[in-house]
């Protein structure tokens, strides 16, 4: 499926409703032109809670985009019936999606297309990844003028758009991923999450009915993977030293999309992960269980 085909299918679903609006934003790469879609509840009042959802920022992780497409009507109906408004970035990396690669069509990883934050440490230095958490003075967005961070185009555009979102009203954020860079994983689910995990554990246990939870695992995903000339990932073999707990939760303040929304005050912010060996239908169902579970928690 091309990105245009994906967007056409989703546009048809949006136009069949009267409670959503959408816009397309250009992504002009050396390798060609694509567009980024942003879907928004038509009326967001100043007191409305908002859920932000993003899918497939890594282009080969198609389950995120397909979850939003396949569960779209149920997702919007469930949120709007409860008075919860939505902002959805359904296909965060359309060129990578179309080409089946992790990063964009120019193979431009930059500092990472899921790079959102820099943390200022006590000595004045900056870090992009605090691991499971350590003291810091303040955080800034990674595109702030204090830095000379190179972000790939899709990351720049998403940051520009997110800045304009009603951030003080975001009650929850979900970033929908798959893990194709941890070698040898059979079908599993795990989740990066922040804050009070107790409320999220019942949802994780619903996920466990679909695919096993990756418990007590030394996770290396995202720790210095290398990209080959075709834009595919050559993963590291060593663990990252951050372990999942008994329900598959990992707390890693790595400056990504979900870490950003946690720092902005979202009550629930998490990144869903299913291993690449997980059948796509089950990966999408895992994502849907998380989406509906978070919406229900906010009711």
């Amino acid at each position: 499926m091309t990105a245009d085909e994906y967007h056409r299918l989703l546009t048809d679903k949006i136009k069949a409703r009267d409670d959503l609006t959408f816009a397309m934003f250009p992504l002009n790469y050396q390798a060609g032109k694509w567009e980024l879609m942003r879907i928004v509840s038509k009326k967001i009042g100043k007191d409305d809670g908002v859920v932000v959802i993003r899918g497939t920022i890594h282009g080969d992780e198609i389950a995120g985009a397909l979850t939003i497409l396949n569960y779209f009507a149920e997702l919007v109906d469930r949120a709007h019936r409860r008075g919860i408004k939505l902002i959805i970035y359904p296909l965060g990396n359309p060129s990578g999606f179309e080409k089946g690669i992790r990063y964009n069509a120019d193979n431009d990883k930059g500092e990472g297309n899921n790079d959102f934050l820099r943390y200022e440490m006590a000595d004045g230095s900056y870090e992009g990844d605090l691991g499971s958490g350590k003291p810091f003075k303040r955080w800034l967005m990674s595109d702030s003028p204090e830095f000379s961070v190179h972000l790939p185009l899709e990351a720049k555009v998403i940051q520009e758009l997110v800045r304009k979102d009603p951030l003080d009203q975001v009650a929850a954020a979900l970033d929908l991923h798959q893990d194709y860079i941890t070698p040898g994983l059979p079908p599993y689910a795990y989740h990066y999450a922040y804050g009070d995990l107790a409320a999220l554990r019942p949802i994780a246990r619903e996920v466990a009915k679909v695919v096993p939870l990756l418990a007590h695992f030394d996770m290396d995903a995202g720790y210095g993977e290398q990209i080959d000339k075709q834009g595919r990932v050559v993963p590291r073999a060593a663990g990252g030293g951050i372990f999942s707990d008994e329900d598959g939760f990992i707390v890693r303040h790595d400056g990504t999309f979900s870490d950003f929304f946690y720092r902005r005050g979202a009550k629930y912010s998490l990144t869903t992960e299913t291993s690449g060996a997980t059948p796509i239908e089950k990966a999408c169902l895992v994502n849907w269980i998380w989406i509906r579970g978070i919406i229900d928690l906010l009711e």
Side-chain angles (χ1 to χ4, degrees), residues 172-190:
L174 297 100
D175 202 14
L176 310 179
H177 285 244
Q178 291 170 275
D179 181 354
Y180 284 105
I181 61 175
T182 302
L185 277 186
Y188 272 114
Y190 65 96

Side-chain angles (χ1 to χ4, degrees), residues 64-114:
L66 295 182
T67 299
I68 293 166
L69 179 67
N70 294 338
Y71 289 93
F72 190 73
E74 295 167 85
L75 190 169
V76 178
D77 288 345
R78 196 178 197 96
H80 285 180
R81 278 198 305 265
R82 290 159 171 78
I84 297 165
K85 302 305 171 66
L86 296 165
I87 298 173
I88 304 173
Y89 299 93
L91 182 51
N93 181 5
S95 71
F97 171 83
E98 189 166 306
K99 301 213 176 262
I101 57 177
R102 183 173 177 85
Y103 297 106
N104 61 39
D106 291 342
N107 288 336
D108 179 13
K109 177 183 177 181
E111 297 289 325
N113 63 359
N114 196 13

Side-chain angles (χ1 to χ4, degrees), residues 133-155:
K134 52 187 174 182
F136 65 95
K137 289 171 60 177
R138 61 172 180 157
W139 59 264
L140 299 91
M141 293 185 76
S142 59
D143 66 353
S144 298
E146 288 89 343
F147 312 117
S148 56
V149 173
H150 171 62
L151 297 175
L153 181 57
E154 66 279 2

